[in-house]
Amino acid sequence: MINSFRWQDIIACMLAVTVILFAAHFVDQPLALLLQAYDQQHPGRLLIFKDLTDLGKSHWYLVPTGVVALFCFGMAKVVKNDPQRQARLRKIAFTMAFIFACIAVSGILVELLKMLFGRARPSLLDGEGIFECAIS
């Protein structure tokens, strides 16, 4: 049912929010300071996290999906004498455009939320000792 009300779902959401708030308040800063000290004592051992961060950057996904979508939209206009091929190209183009839009819209929303909640970046903790979450 679409309108079904389940207490288990409400309790699970409340528990998840509680765990997230607990971790943000009691675990986040001590863990950041611990990893900062570890990185200073053992330089280079945490470089894997920088590589993982690069994998999460959106340009790896936005550029190829945008290029493929534009290419397929253009080819669908060119291939007018073959309706089957034109339909396949449009399907690929719309799929790539959908993936592009999902990544771009979610990225924009996250950036807006970051500005709203004002979470300081780890570089500010390293350089200036700033570690806060101030709602703007």
Side-chain angles (χ1 to χ4, degrees), residues 26-44:
F26 293 108
V27 177
D28 197 19
Q29 186 175 8
L31 182 62
L33 292 171
L34 177 75
L35 289 173
Q36 180 186 25
Y38 181 82
D39 192 39
Q40 288 173 354
Q41 292 173 356
H42 309 284

Side-chain angles (χ1 to χ4, degrees), residues 114-132:
K114 283 181 186 178
M115 285 190 289
L116 176 68
F117 289 108
R119 169 68 162 79
R121 302 301 302 155
S123 59
L124 291 176
L125 177 64
D126 295 344
E128 301 172 26
I130 298 172
F131 191 94
E132 62 182 29

Side-chain angles (χ1 to χ4, degrees), residues 49-110:
F49 294 114
K50 290 181 181 171
D51 294 336
L52 289 174
T53 298
D54 287 342
L55 282 178
K57 291 185 179 175
S58 61
H59 64 270
W60 294 106
Y61 311 102
L62 287 175
V63 172
T65 56
V67 168
V68 171
L70 291 174
F71 176 77
C72 288
F73 276 127
M75 288 302 293
K77 294 276 188 192
V78 172
V79 185
K80 293 182 179 179
N81 58 350
D82 190 355
Q84 229 177 3
R85 179 177 277 172
Q86 192 176 33
R88 282 193 308 248
L89 285 167
R90 281 190 180 151
K91 184 176 181 178
I92 294 169
F94 279 113
T95 302
M96 292 295 113
F98 176 76
I99 293 170
F100 180 91
C102 287
I103 295 168
V105 169
S106 65
I108 291 168
L109 287 176
V110 166

